[in-house]
Amino acid sequence: IAGITQAPTSQILAAGRRMTLRCTQDMRHNAMYWYRQDLGLGLRLIHYSNTAGTTGKGEVPDGYSVSRANTDDFPLTLASAVPSQTSVYFCASSEEDRVTGELFFGEGSRLTVL
Amino acid sequence: GQNIDQPTEMTATEGAIVQINCTYQTSGFNGLFWYQQHAGEAPTFLSYNVLDGLEEKGRFSSFLSRSKGYSYLLLKELQMKDSASYLCAPVDSNYQLIWGAGTKLIIKP
């Protein structure tokens, strides 16, 4: 089934540890995004990539890094996790970088930093 | 700054009609999305409006007024499975979605 796969689904992490959330899509979409979703707040963009080989900062990029070595994969890394990074993380993709069409979301990764 | 305003929570009865409003202020405008999100799941696409007016898609309709910075999602013949959060997201001048916090819709029998 075509779509976006995220891993892990859920993770509990000690503060200070390094963590990579994986995201893979098989729709050959150009653009990919990482959002975090916290209770009472809208989805906030962390980083994005308009095409393979390029990345950009979103609204809340501090403490996170991404890479886009190929079209399909867009991992998100927390270099040294802090409790404020406890959140649900969604990876998404769209066919073009100018979002005028549907955004497809992965099922989310629930991260708890203690 | 950019701002999205939609009610936090609404309650409606099965079989009825409900309208979820969204007002927005963004730097530039390139359309507005509505997404549905069931608890513990990913958001799923409902509609995208770029021109003024009403667009109907089955039981769901979405309306846009660009001059008023206003949109609404109309849900007819409500079903229990419509219990979810509804996210309003206008697209700004950089073609980035600005997400509202969402409206939690509770459907009662």
Side-chain angles (χ1 to χ4, degrees), chain A residues 27-44:
Chain A
M27 297 175 284
R28 308 301 295 172
H29 283 174
N30 282 321
M32 297 187 74
Y33 313 84
W34 273 106
Y35 288 95
R36 61 177 289 173
Q37 187 173 40
D38 302 291
L39 198 62
L41 299 177
L43 288 159
R44 291 183 291 169

Side-chain angles (χ1 to χ4, degrees), chain B residues 30-100:
Chain B
N30 285 294
L32 186 144
F33 287 89
W34 283 95
Y35 275 77
Q36 180 190 59
Q37 186 177 25
H38 285 101
E41 298 183 8
T44 55
F45 172 81
L46 287 177
S47 66
Y48 173 63
N49 293 62
V50 64
L51 299 176
D52 290 351
L54 185 69
E55 291 200 8
E56 299 183 68
K57 190 186 296 185
R59 294 189 299 113
F60 291 12
S61 302
S62 55
F63 172 84
L64 175 66
S65 170
R66 290 172 295 172
S67 63
K68 295 181 179 179
Y70 169 68
S71 175
Y72 68 72
L73 183 68
L74 189 71
L75 291 74
K76 303 176 184 177
E77 302 170 14
L78 287 169
Q79 302 175 10
M80 297 303 293
K81 68 179 182 180
D82 297 331
S83 292
S85 289
Y86 292 86
L87 314 181
C88 170
V91 183
D92 71 8
S93 58
N94 293 320
Y95 287 90
Q96 295 292 348
L97 276 73
I98 309 301
W99 297 85

Side-chain angles (χ1 to χ4, degrees), chain A residues 65-105:
Chain A
S65 64
V66 291
S67 62
R68 187 89 183 277
N70 56 60
T71 297
D72 299 343
D73 301 300
F74 191 44
L76 176 74
T77 297
L78 290 68
S80 179
V82 295
S84 62
Q85 292 178 312
T86 293
S87 187
V88 179
Y89 292 86
F90 286 102
C91 180
S93 72
S94 62
E95 193 169 355
E96 299 296 336
D97 58 336
R98 294 197 158 196
V99 184
T100 56
E102 181 177 351
L103 223 63
F104 294 83
F105 284 85

